Amino acid sequence: MKNYWIQYKPFLLFLVKFIFSYLILTVAYQYYLNQFDIKNNEVDSFTKLVTSQVEQVLLFFNGDAHIELHASEPSYKFFYNGKFVSRIIEGCNALSVIILFISFIIAFSGKIKNTIYFILAGSFIIHILNITRIALLMVAFYNFPKANFILHDILFPLVIYGTVFILWIIWVNKFSFYAKETAK
């Protein structure tokens, strides 16, 4: 058993740190979400921020964008060029993706300063990418309504998770303690 622990110690430590940080962040996020009354269709403030930022991006690029609070569910209705194109729900805010990203970074430890900076920078990149993703989806939903499934469920998740994967690779190879050990 001792040999097993020694042989797999790095992997087991990674797994414990990942699960522990993921659980803590997920519980904290759930606590945050529980502050909003879903029965009264109340949307959390971060989803509201994301929705407003998408609207502002499209308005900046001379798009006719407009949002309305949905009357029968906790979401926003998104209108583009006067046409309802989609709704934005809590899952669209990318916080669950950011939680996954942060948990991995914590699990593959590095210097505390580097870890904090990388978490902040990576979370910002994911947030900006998500705003861009939703804005492009709204335009695409308007122009190509039959491609909604491919765009929303396949192409854009591939882009956002692909970016997270690339950030993880950069972290592991450049900043984590693992990178310093393998460089020796």
Side-chain angles (χ1 to χ4, degrees):
M1 186 69 170
K2 185 176 180 182
N3 288 338
Y4 178 78
W5 171 252
I6 291 169
Q7 183 178 1
Y8 295 106
K9 182 179 176 184
F11 172 73
L12 295 173
L13 285 175
F14 166 82
L15 203 56
V16 167
K17 288 192 282 185
F18 179 83
I19 291 169
F20 186 70
S21 58
Y22 186 78
L23 285 174
I24 287 175
L25 291 171
T26 302
V27 167
Y29 182 47
Q30 194 59 51
Y31 178 77
Y32 162 76
L33 289 176
N34 287 341
Q35 297 175 35
F36 301 93
D37 189 3
I38 293 174
K39 291 177 185 171
N40 288 327
N41 301 322
E42 192 175 14
V43 180
D44 70 278
S45 52
F46 195 74
T47 301
K48 182 178 181 179
L49 173 70
V50 167
T51 304
S52 296
Q53 289 173 336
V54 171
E55 179 185 38
Q56 293 304 310
V57 165
L58 288 174
L59 290 172
F60 178 79
F61 289 105
N62 295 322
D64 178 21
H66 170 72
I67 59 173
E68 290 178 10
L69 194 56
H70 202 291
S72 60
E73 62 181 61
S75 67
Y76 281 93
K77 294 168 75 175
F78 206 98
F79 295 85
Y80 186 72
N81 290 336
K83 179 183 174 189
F84 171 71
V85 290
S86 188
R87 62 191 176 89
I88 297 179
I89 61 171
E90 173 269 324
C92 299
N93 67 23
L95 280 179
S96 58
V97 176
I98 292 171
I99 287 170
L100 187 66
F101 166 76
I102 292 171
S103 299
F104 183 89
I105 300 304
I106 291 170
F108 255 115
S109 302
K111 291 181 181 175
I112 189 75
K113 186 177 174 183
N114 288 346
T115 302
I116 291 170
Y117 286 153
F118 200 83
I119 284 173
L120 292 173
S123 297
F124 181 74
I125 289 168
I126 294 167
H127 177 70
I128 296 301
L129 180 64
N130 188 50
I131 299 301
T132 305
R133 172 189 80 94
I134 297 171
L136 290 173
L137 277 172
M138 294 305 135
V139 173
F141 286 177
Y142 177 80
N143 290 305
F144 310 105
K146 292 184 179 180
N148 287 3
F149 173 77
I150 292 170
L151 293 171
H152 182 270
D153 294 354
I154 298 171
L155 182 62
F156 282 97
L158 182 64
V159 170
I160 201 158
Y161 285 109
T163 301
V164 170
F165 184 70
I166 290 168
L167 288 170
W168 286 343
I169 291 172
I170 292 168
W171 172 256
V172 169
N173 290 319
K174 300 284 184 191
F175 301 107
S176 72
F177 291 138
Y178 175 80
K180 289 161 183 50
E181 287 177 16
T182 57
K184 291 180 183 178

